[in-house]
Amino acid sequence: MFNYKKLIQLSLILLFSFLTNIVSADNHNISEILELIQKDLKTLEKAVYAGSINSNNQKSTNENSEDVLTRHLLKLSDIENQFQELTNKFEEINFKLDKLSNRLSKVQADNQIRFQDVEKVLSSGEINQKLTSKTKKNESKNLPGSSTPQDLGSISYKDTESEETTQKIQSVETTSSIVTEKFESEKNILPKVSPEKQYEFATSFLKVGDYNTAERAFREFVINNSEHKLAGNAQYWYAETFRIRQLYTDAATAYLEGYQKYPKGEKAPINLLKLGVSMVQIGEKEQGCKMIEGVEKQYPKANQSVLQKAKYESKKFECSKQKT
């Protein structure tokens, strides 16, 4: 900024020189001296004006620079705050991921233990022993469709004797005719066609609710076509005929046989689930729950309806409390 004190000093010096010139200018023209003074004043005015302009420009430049710097500092401060928030969120997400990873590891370890328990139970033969003992306690006489699976192509003496007892009011010829026809029908229930047609034939009895005949048909199919791709399905429906009639011990035996013979069949996941449910229903809750909860572990790619059903049955039978 221009100093006005210097301007006053210069003015006084000029005035002093002017007076000195007047005193010493005996032979000079006063008008020439005044012209010189005017020129000096104009030169001085130009210098003062130029100095004031430079001062104003410099001041405005400084002010603009300060404004720009202030704005940049504010933006940097906002960026720092946003970066801090993102860092906090990132750390929070990492913490949650660590917790989730730990939980998944625990669940996997727990499922592995349960699956090993299921394998041990199924391979030890303990279930077979318990099912046999349950059968001996519950049955009073040996009837087809209860106890262990029988040869459906034959008929026992007791069955023939009971049939004849109910027919005493009829003639001897009528009675022998009835017994003979039933014996022949039990001997060959499936038609002599392809396995696929036989499977459809056995399934037709389920559709009409004739579960006794369906039991015999599916059992015969499994015996005659044990290596066929539909054998696992037939074994499952064979077990279902017992479950529908609430013969849970026989159902559990049939499901167990299906799991052991056809562990990779189409019906294997639902077969294991029904085996677990049947075990719970005959009083073996601990082992039944292990099988129910082992369905998802052993068959993770099973149909979602089966997996959801397994979770429902586990909750229904309070299998989580059974572990504690």
Side-chain angles (χ1 to χ4, degrees):
M1 184 176 180
F2 188 80
N3 194 343
Y4 288 99
K5 290 182 178 180
K6 292 182 179 180
L7 179 61
I8 295 172
Q9 290 176 357
L10 290 173
S11 299
L12 291 174
I13 291 170
L14 289 173
L15 180 61
F16 178 76
S17 64
F18 172 69
L19 293 174
T20 304
N21 289 330
I22 291 176
V23 174
S24 60
D26 294 332
N27 299 321
H28 293 81
N29 193 350
I30 295 175
S31 61
E32 292 179 356
I33 295 172
L34 291 174
E35 288 179 359
L36 291 172
I37 292 172
Q38 288 179 354
K39 289 181 180 180
D40 292 337
L41 288 173
K42 288 180 179 179
T43 302
L44 182 61
E45 287 178 355
K46 289 180 180 179
V48 172
Y49 180 74
S52 63
I53 290 174
N54 291 332
S55 177
N56 291 332
N57 290 335
Q58 185 178 3
K59 184 176 179 180
S60 62
T61 302
N62 291 335
E63 289 177 354
N64 291 333
S65 299
E66 290 178 357
D67 291 341
V68 172
L69 181 60
T70 301
R71 287 196 298 270
H72 284 306
L73 289 174
L74 291 174
K75 288 182 179 179
L76 285 174
S77 178
D78 291 338
I79 292 173
E80 287 179 357
N81 292 332
Q82 292 177 2
F83 183 76
Q84 185 65 32
E85 290 179 359
L86 291 174
T87 302
N88 293 336
K89 290 181 179 179
F90 180 74
E91 291 177 352
E92 183 180 355
I93 291 172
N94 275 339
F95 177 72
K96 291 181 178 179
L97 286 175
D98 289 339
K99 288 180 66 177
L100 181 60
S101 178
N102 292 333
R103 290 180 62 185
L104 286 175
S105 299
K106 291 180 180 178
V107 170
Q108 289 176 352
D110 188 42
N111 285 337
Q112 185 65 27
I113 293 173
R114 294 181 194 171
F115 179 66
Q116 290 175 354
D117 291 340
V118 172
E119 287 294 329
K120 289 178 181 178
V121 169
L122 292 174
S123 61
S124 64
E126 184 180 353
I127 295 180
N128 284 326
Q129 296 175 1
K130 291 189 175 182
L131 290 176
T132 303
S133 61
K134 289 279 183 182
T135 302
K136 290 180 179 178
K137 290 179 181 179
N138 292 335
E139 67 178 4
S140 58
K141 65 177 182 177
N142 192 13
L143 296 175
S146 59
S147 74
T148 57
Q150 302 174 358
D151 185 2
L152 297 176
S154 62
I155 185 168
S156 64
Y157 171 74
K158 291 183 179 180
D159 294 328
T160 307
E161 184 180 23
S162 61
E163 291 277 326
E164 290 178 353
T165 302
T166 57
Q167 299 292 333
K168 282 184 178 180
I169 59 173
Q170 299 179 3
S171 65
V172 176
E173 293 180 358
T174 306
T175 304
S176 60
S177 175
I178 293 174
V179 173
T180 302
E181 289 177 356
K182 185 171 184 181
F183 178 79
E184 291 297 330
S185 65
E186 286 185 354
K187 188 175 181 180
N188 296 304
I189 188 171
L190 292 177
K192 293 181 179 181
V193 292
S194 65
E196 289 78 10
K197 294 293 184 181
Q198 289 181 345
Y199 182 82
E200 292 180 4
F201 179 77
T203 307
S204 65
F205 294 107
L206 284 178
K207 295 179 180 179
V208 298
D210 188 355
Y211 302 117
N212 292 322
T213 308
E215 171 203 337
R216 292 162 47 208
F218 282 118
R219 185 59 177 170
E220 185 179 339
F221 181 92
V222 172
I223 293 173
N224 296 335
N225 307 281
S226 59
E227 301 299 325
H228 194 271
K229 62 181 180 179
L230 292 173
N233 292 25
Q235 179 67 34
Y236 168 76
W237 291 118
Y238 169 67
E240 281 286 275
T241 62
F242 294 115
R243 184 191 64 82
I244 294 172
R245 291 175 289 172
Q246 299 181 356
L247 301 173
Y248 298 117
T249 302
D250 299 303
T253 303
Y255 286 128
L256 177 60
E257 185 180 355
Y259 176 80
Q260 292 173 339
K261 288 185 177 180
Y262 312 102
K264 296 182 180 180
E266 180 184 352
K267 296 290 186 180
I270 187 66
N271 187 86
L272 179 58
L273 173 60
K274 294 292 183 68
L275 173 58
V277 173
S278 299
M279 292 298 293
V280 174
Q281 289 171 331
I282 63 176
E284 299 296 335
K285 184 175 181 180
E286 181 179 357
Q287 294 179 353
C289 283
K290 287 180 181 179
M291 294 171 190
I292 292 171
E293 295 183 340
V295 172
E296 185 175 5
K297 180 63 179 178
Q298 190 167 357
Y299 302 102
K301 296 182 179 181
N303 193 292
Q304 285 298 316
S305 62
V306 177
L307 298 178
Q308 292 294 330
K309 180 68 173 176
K311 292 179 180 178
Y312 170 78
E313 296 292 354
S314 177
K315 185 177 180 181
K316 173 183 174 182
F317 295 124
E318 299 180 344
C319 290
S320 59
K321 294 183 180 180
Q322 185 70 23
K323 290 186 295 182
T324 59

